[in-house]
């Protein structure tokens, strides 16, 4: 994904707004070097206008030899022939004006095309999508939605879908689906440096041919032993083989959840129509904004959206400042299906919740790589964390 380098956080935030989901920012060349040392999948580096021309050209020259598959793009406030000549000699792919978002989009698309071409047919870029289902408050139906969404995605032509239960203390995905896993995330503890897809595949539990589940640990005290690094490694490893990775998160901003949100492409935010929950969701949205989490890739779901409670969708949109993507009304059939271990999308495909979740899945299952143009979103590939790394260091 694109990496933006500039010491000015405001400039980084402005550039990230034009980047594909998963782009991130660092504040110095030193931080860039450290980042690239542990992230081999990056394909383009944007050198911001606050960096000096000399530092930018020297960085292009260094990356040309140390990371030949990475394209460098200089973003400048003023373009002149001397700088253009020096940048091209140093190996820069493009030099664009800071306000020219159309040219920047085209340059990013060219960088991705080059990266894919360099990977070649045998090592072609596998593009997957990570979807985190989150609510800051428990009991709002987050797990029920996660399970039904994962099952709905299997109907969208995806070859493989994996549902990860990241509520490490009290995860209910397995029991909701009447699964009895012999392995869970617990067996991956300590394997941060050795985890691969073969090992991880042995920890998954099959629900259907196209849906696999990574269960939460059976005991709450295991949570503290699951490191943020392990969470990141698990998600990135699952990306290598699954088309969609759906993460049922814990209702908290702990380090494990923050790490998962760093890795995600899309966030599905779940709320009910009561004032305490809406207050907490409002704080969550503000936190997402501050940490640059899925800025343009958030989806709001209203659960138990009954008119009788006195708060409607329009009022929720006004409170949260985001549109409602799906509404699910209260229904005894949903609870009955959950208690029977047969998610409602399987038990009753025509149910109102089933239809709402299928529509949400259709929105999430849109084209994952598209042509970059003036009015088109940037391509998506393997995501990394965004500008939040300017503000918070990873443990």
């Amino acid at each position: 994904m694109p990496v933006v380098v500039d010491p000015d956080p405001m400039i980084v935030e402005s550039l990230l707004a034009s980047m594909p989901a998963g782009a991130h920012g660092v504040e110095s060349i030193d931080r860039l070097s450290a980042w690239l040392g542990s992230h081999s999948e990056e394909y383009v580096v944007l050198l911001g206008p606050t960096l000096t021309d000399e530092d930018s050209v020297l960085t292009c020259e260094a990356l040309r030899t140390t990371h030949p598959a990475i394209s460098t793009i200089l973003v400048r406030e003023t373009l002149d022939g001397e700088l253009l000549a020096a940048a091209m000699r140093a190996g820069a792919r493009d030099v664009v004006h800071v306000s020219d978002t159309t040219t920047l989009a085209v340059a990013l698309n060219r960088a991705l095309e080059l990266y894919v071409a360099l990977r070649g047919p045998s090592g072609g870029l596998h593009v997957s999508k990570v979807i985190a289902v989150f609510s800051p408050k428990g009991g709002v139906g987050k797990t029920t939605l996660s399970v039904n969404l994962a099952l709905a995605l299997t109907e969208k032509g995806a070859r493989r879908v994996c549902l990860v239960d990241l509520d490490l203390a009290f995860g209910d995905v397995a029991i909701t689906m009447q699964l009895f896993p012999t392995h869970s995330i617990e067996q991956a503890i300590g394997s941060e440096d050795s985890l691969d897809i073969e090992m991880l595949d042995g920890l998954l539990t099959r629900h259907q041919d196209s849906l696999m589940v990574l269960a939460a640990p059976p005991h709450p005290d295991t949570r503290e032993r699951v490191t943020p690094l392990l969470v990141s490694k698990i998600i990135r490893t699952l990306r290598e083989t699954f088309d969609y990775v759906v993460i049922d998160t814990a209702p908290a901003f702990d380090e494990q959840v923050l790490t998962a949100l760093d890795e995600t492409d899309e966030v599905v935010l779940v709320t009910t129509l009561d004032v305490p929950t809406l207050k907490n969701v409002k704080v969550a949205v503000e936190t997402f904004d501050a940490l640059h989490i899925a800025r343009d890739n958030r989806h709001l779901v209203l659960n138990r959206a009954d008119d009788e409670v006195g708060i409607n969708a329009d009022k929720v949109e006004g409170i949260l400042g985001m549109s409602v993507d799906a509404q699910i009304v209260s229904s005894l059939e949903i609870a009955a299906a959950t208690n029977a271990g047969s998610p409602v999308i399987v038990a009753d495909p025509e149910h109102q919740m089933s239809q709402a979740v299928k529509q949400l899945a259709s929105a999430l299952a849109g084209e994952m790589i598209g042509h970059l143009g003036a009015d088109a979103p940037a391509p998506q590939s393997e995501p990394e964390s965004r500008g939040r790394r300017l503000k918070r260091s990873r443990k």
Side-chain angles (χ1 to χ4, degrees), residues 1 5 77 101 136 163 175 178 224 245 304 306 340 360 372:
M1 292 304 296
V5 187
E77 292 183 345
T101 57
L163 175 58
I175 195 170
Q178 279 201 346
E224 297 299 329
V245 180
R304 303 168 197 148
D306 305 311
L360 178 62
L372 255 175

Side-chain angles (χ1 to χ4, degrees), residues 39 62 95 148 211 216 283 302 321 342:
H39 297 81
V95 180
N148 283 275
L211 179 60
V283 173
L302 303 187
S342 179

Side-chain angles (χ1 to χ4, degrees), residues 1-3 5 24 26 29-45 47 59 62-63 66-67 70-72:
M1 292 304 296
V3 186
V5 187
H24 60 278
V26 295
I29 300 300
D30 288 341
R31 289 291 300 277
L32 172 67
S33 299
W35 179 260
L36 294 179
S38 58
H39 297 81
S40 60
E41 71 281 358
E42 307 294 11
Y43 68 86
V44 61
V45 170
L47 302 172
T59 301
L63 291 176
T66 60
H67 297 81
I70 295 179
S71 297
T72 51

Side-chain angles (χ1 to χ4, degrees), residues 102-378:
T102 299
T103 301
L104 178 59
V106 173
L108 288 170
N109 196 66
R110 284 202 299 262
L112 179 59
E113 290 173 348
L114 176 63
Y115 177 69
V116 174
L118 290 174
R119 291 282 294 266
S122 62
L125 190 64
H126 172 75
V127 181
S128 62
K129 184 172 285 190
V130 176
I131 303 164
V133 182
F134 178 82
S135 179
K137 195 170 184 295
V140 300
K142 175 178 54 61
T143 296
T144 299
L145 179 63
S146 298
V147 167
N148 283 275
L149 177 60
L151 289 168
L153 286 168
T154 66
E155 300 177 357
K156 296 300 173 185
R159 293 184 300 278
R160 300 191 75 195
V161 178
C162 184
L163 175 58
V164 179
D165 192 344
L166 205 64
D167 190 343
L168 299 172
F170 300 103
D172 290 328
V173 166
I175 195 170
T176 296
M177 306 178 80
Q178 279 201 346
L179 297 176
F180 304 96
T182 58
H183 297 85
S184 71
I185 292 176
E186 182 176 8
Q187 280 70 48
I189 292 174
S191 61
E192 288 86 348
D193 296 329
S194 59
L195 187 71
D196 58 21
I197 191 59
E198 183 177 359
M199 175 184 176
L200 194 53
D201 192 58
L203 306 183
L204 303 179
T205 302
R206 182 180 299 279
H207 179 260
Q208 291 181 349
D209 289 344
S210 53
L211 179 60
M212 303 294 287
V213 174
L214 181 58
H219 304 293
D221 58 358
T222 305
R223 182 179 69 88
E224 297 299 329
R225 296 162 51 210
V226 178
T227 65
L229 180 59
L230 179 59
V231 171
S232 177
K233 183 67 173 179
I234 287 171
I235 295 172
R236 295 183 184 190
T237 303
L238 290 172
R239 275 187 179 278
E240 297 175 10
T241 187
F242 287 94
D243 298 283
Y244 297 96
V245 180
V246 179
I247 304 174
D248 181 26
T249 64
F253 280 118
D254 57 27
E255 280 295 309
Q256 293 92 341
V257 170
L258 286 171
T259 299
L261 292 172
D262 260 349
E263 302 285 349
T264 198
D265 299 303
E266 312 273 351
V267 172
V268 176
L269 194 58
V270 187
T271 185
T272 49
L273 299 182
D274 58 275
V275 172
T277 300
L278 288 171
K279 183 267 293 183
N280 289 343
V281 172
K282 175 69 171 177
V283 173
V285 171
E286 292 170 351
T287 303
F288 287 175
D289 289 339
L291 302 183
H292 305 284
I293 294 170
R295 181 177 295 276
D296 298 315
N297 297 278
R298 303 172 191 166
H299 309 268
L300 181 62
V301 175
L302 303 187
N303 195 22
R304 303 168 197 148
D306 305 311
D307 296 335
E308 293 81 4
V309 300
I311 302 176
N312 58 26
D314 290 339
K315 185 172 292 187
V316 171
E317 291 179 350
I319 293 171
L320 301 182
M322 58 186 299
S323 60
V324 174
D325 292 88
Q327 299 185 57
I328 301 169
V329 299
S330 299
S331 171
L332 292 176
E333 287 80 8
I334 297 174
T338 299
N339 290 338
S342 179
V344 69
I345 199 168
V346 175
D348 186 357
E350 301 305 317
H351 191 274
Q352 186 270 335
M353 178 180 183
S354 301
Q355 295 302 310
V357 172
K358 287 177 181 179
Q359 291 178 12
L360 178 62
S362 294
L364 292 167
E367 192 67 20
M368 284 187 259
I369 292 185
H371 179 70
L372 255 175
D375 300 316

